[in-house]
Amino acid sequence: MTSDDGSSDKKPPTERSSTKDRSPSPSLSVPSRLPSELPSSLPSGVPSELPSGVESLLPSLASDEVPYYMLRAGDCFDIDGGRPGQAVKRPCDQKHDAEVVTVAELEGAYTTDAALKKAASGLCRDALDSKAAKQPAGTVRGTLVQYPDPAGFEVGIDNVACSLAADGAEGNRKLTKPLR
């Protein structure tokens, strides 16, 4: 996952026309009777562990840390510099780095980080400008646009979290209440 501080990139995104795919109709098969014995082991060939790297895509239920793409409008969070793409949710009435203004969805085909960055920034621009204009002077000093990297986009992660922050990338100021 990558994030953007609001600066634009000069490379245009590659777009494709989207077509509406028909949704598959679910089927349900219920056994007529339960087995009398449960198997003592898994069939051969069933992996016992997740592939490496998959853990970063799954939310942790033991903490307030979530992948950015699971944030919703109005969520307040701290940025975890050591874990790009992750956000530590915080109550909005306590100190926090940023607040999600809107979550947008990328549409089209993008194969480079530059194309994703440009498209994500474009999706966030109006919402962030409008929300920032409503804040008291000095409240927000930065924007945060979080978007998938090309590999994440390719597997279906298409959410873009558009947030206002108390400071820019390396600041130490905090927001202390929800945005207006």
Side-chain angles (χ1 to χ4, degrees):
M1 305 311 145
T2 55
S3 63
D4 176 28
D5 63 4
S7 62
S8 64
D9 196 296
K10 301 294 184 216
K11 294 183 183 178
T14 306
E15 301 242 349
R16 71 171 180 214
S17 61
S18 68
T19 58
K20 299 289 181 187
D21 293 330
R22 288 184 290 165
S23 297
S25 57
S27 63
L28 178 62
S29 175
V30 178
S32 58
R33 64 188 244 289
L34 295 174
S36 59
E37 290 183 23
L38 294 176
S40 60
S41 65
L42 291 174
S44 64
V46 175
S48 61
E49 295 182 18
L50 292 172
S52 66
V54 172
E55 306 84 26
S56 67
L57 298 175
L58 302 172
S60 170
L61 299 177
S63 74
D64 293 331
E65 186 174 271
V66 297
Y68 87 87
Y69 56 82
M70 294 188 70
L71 293 170
R72 300 291 173 246
D75 283 350
C76 296
F77 63 96
D78 283 339
I79 301 159
D80 185 349
R83 295 186 42 112
Q86 298 293 309
V88 182
K89 291 176 81 173
R90 298 287 183 235
C92 290
D93 60 353
Q94 295 178 11
K95 289 182 179 185
H96 56 281
D97 293 330
E99 181 178 330
V100 179
V101 171
T102 190
V103 175
E105 189 173 302
L106 289 163
E107 293 181 5
Y110 308 99
T111 57
T112 66
D113 187 64
L116 284 161
K117 177 181 179 179
K118 183 175 181 177
S121 293
L123 287 172
C124 292
R125 187 171 293 114
D126 290 343
L128 292 177
D129 287 348
S130 175
K131 189 73 165 185
K134 296 175 186 174
Q135 304 311 307
T139 304
V140 295
R141 294 185 181 174
T143 62
L144 180 63
V145 176
Q146 294 170 292
Y147 58 99
D149 62 15
F153 184 70
E154 188 174 311
V155 298
I157 299 172
D158 56 6
N159 281 356
V160 175
C162 311
S163 305
L164 290 176
D167 256 333
E170 297 299 323
N172 58 7
R173 291 184 64 242
K174 299 276 190 175
L175 297 171
T176 57
K177 59 185 175 183
L179 297 173
R180 291 183 184 183

